[in-house]
Amino acid sequence: MGLFDLFGGSKKATELDAARSDENKKLMREIFDKKIDNGSEYAIVYAYSEDIGGANFAVIRTVSYKYRNFILGYRESDLSLVFLEVSPDLSQVGEALAYKPQDVKRKNFVKMAGSYYLQYGSSFKKEFFNFFVPETIDDILNLDWYDEETFAYVDQREEHSSWVAFWNKFCK
């Protein structure tokens, strides 16, 4: 056992169910193409966000977590992002949110947390959005709070490098 194992630095690798992941990617593509105009022009990846809420009641403090799943479409030609909210089992689809670099006030990637950050809105009302784009299924399955009802089962090793290259262009 190494020093980093004491702090959770080493996670057990899981065996990839490639057929399940490929089926989910195929379903994501079908959903995105049906819901978004010219959807086939976008490359897609799976993404999720974590919304943390809390309340203080005199002595008791509560913290709640809400996870949202997205099919994240990105197009190089006009550097546009489209977040299409979906249920973890990909059976339900919500509304799409679209962003272009000129719509976003600030963009960032926090490497230590593995999260991407968008800030938009006016100077009076700043709104922000944190999201994660996992590279491998281990990035999801090794989360302490993972369960089947919270996250989609998608491994995107091939797609992730294309996403990172797009994000770097989007942030310039």
Side-chain angles (χ1 to χ4, degrees), residues 47-88:
Y48 68 91
S49 71
E50 174 184 69
D51 301 324
I52 302 171
N56 290 321
F57 303 102
V59 180
I60 300 171
R61 182 175 196 279
T62 63
V63 176
S64 64
Y65 298 90
K66 179 183 175 190
Y67 296 96
R68 295 166 58 197
N69 293 273
F70 299 94
I71 300 172
L72 173 54
Y74 57 97
R75 186 168 54 193
E76 297 262 346
S77 62
D78 62 352
L79 293 179
S80 60
L81 284 175
V82 176
F83 289 87
L84 181 61
E85 189 167 5
V86 293
S87 62

Side-chain angles (χ1 to χ4, degrees), residues 103-171:
D103 302 331
V104 179
K105 305 277 186 230
R106 204 168 141 218
K107 321 160 239 326
N108 196 7
F109 172 67
V110 182
K111 187 170 185 162
M112 189 170 177
S115 69
Y116 297 87
Y117 173 82
L118 293 175
Q119 181 181 317
Y120 53 94
S122 68
S123 57
F124 296 107
K125 185 181 180 194
K126 291 182 182 170
E127 299 178 71
F128 63 92
F129 183 58
N130 280 325
F131 62 98
F132 303 85
V133 179
E135 180 175 1
T136 67
I137 198 63
D138 287 334
D139 295 343
I140 302 169
L141 294 180
N142 282 331
L143 298 175
D144 294 333
W145 56 88
Y146 172 79
D147 66 45
E148 294 280 328
E149 290 83 38
T150 306
F151 301 99
Y153 191 94
V154 178
D155 188 272
Q156 43 199 15
R157 296 164 208 258
E158 295 86 25
E159 298 88 350
H160 195 265
S161 60
S162 171
W163 158 251
V164 171
F166 171 83
W167 180 256
N168 289 334
K169 290 177 188 172
F170 185 82
C171 288

